[in-house]
Amino acid sequence: MFISSAFAQTAPAAAAGGGDFMSSLTGMLPLVLMFVVLYFVMIRPQMKRQKEHRAMIDAIAKGDEVVVGGGILGKVARLSEQYLHIEIASGVEVQVQRAAVVQVLPKGTIK
């Protein structure tokens, strides 16, 4: 009627010995699934935006109309390796870093 204590102590060990690998794999499955979802929802789109921004900055040419991070609009007057000289008014130029450019506007936007 009662199970002997020796048999009761060995029964869970025998059952866990065969399914130990599967139980650890099942325990890690939610963590792996969360990382996959995080990659496709957050990491991959952010990398795509960075790549597009880098391509936009590399394609800036003299005469382009741009918006800088602070909201300043102007035409690119001069280019250098890391800086742009933006003409914001007649005879007024501002020097900004290339990375500060948020958007390149279509020609004729600034009047």
Side-chain angles (χ1 to χ4, degrees), residues 61-65 105-110:
K62 184 177 178 180
D64 284 346
E65 297 174 354
L105 300 172
K107 299 271 185 195
T109 304
I110 302 172

Side-chain angles (χ1 to χ4, degrees), residues 75-87:
K75 281 188 177 183
V76 177
R78 289 186 286 159
L79 298 164
S80 66
E81 188 71 25
Q82 293 192 359
Y83 297 100
L84 300 173
H85 293 265
I86 299 174
E87 185 176 354

